[in-house]
Amino acid sequence: MSDAVPIVIYTRTQCPLCDEAKATIREVAETTAIPVDIELVNVETDPELQSKYGERVPYVYVDGRPAFKFEVEPERLREKLLAAQA
């Protein structure tokens, strides 16, 4: 089995879209049987990140590359996870 695909979600507190993104990522990872390693980064804890992302979260990186902003599209995520495993 390959290593888990790293996923970074830039998030903030009280962010329903962020919660939805996390749920979608977990669901797609489970249905594809591809392990993921999700790291949550709260932009509110860092002035530099707050200025860079502000309200524009969730911002999702898959395997070190920018992948999604605001909404995670399941089919595109599936493609990205499969590509990262290849």
Side-chain angles (χ1 to χ4, degrees):
M1 183 78 140
S2 299
D3 292 339
V5 177
I7 296 179
V8 178
I9 305 173
Y10 288 90
T11 184
R12 24 188 305 273
T13 54
Q14 302 297 310
C15 175
L17 285 176
C18 301
D19 295 337
E20 191 176 308
K22 286 183 275 189
T24 300
I25 291 166
R26 288 190 174 110
E27 184 178 307
V28 170
E30 191 174 299
T31 60
T32 57
I34 295 174
V36 294
D37 179 17
I38 298 173
E39 177 187 354
L40 302 176
V41 178
N42 186 337
V43 301
E44 295 170 326
T45 63
D46 182 323
E48 189 175 314
L49 291 176
Q50 177 68 37
S51 125
K52 181 174 181 179
Y53 295 102
E55 302 289 315
R56 296 180 306 276
V57 293
Y59 203 96
V60 181
Y61 284 74
V62 175
D63 201 25
R65 295 179 190 88
F68 302 100
K69 185 161 80 171
F70 301 125
E71 183 180 346
V72 175
E73 298 171 33
E75 266 313 305
R76 284 191 51 221
L77 176 59
R78 188 171 288 112
E79 291 167 8
K80 290 177 183 299
L81 291 177
L82 290 168
Q85 286 280 289

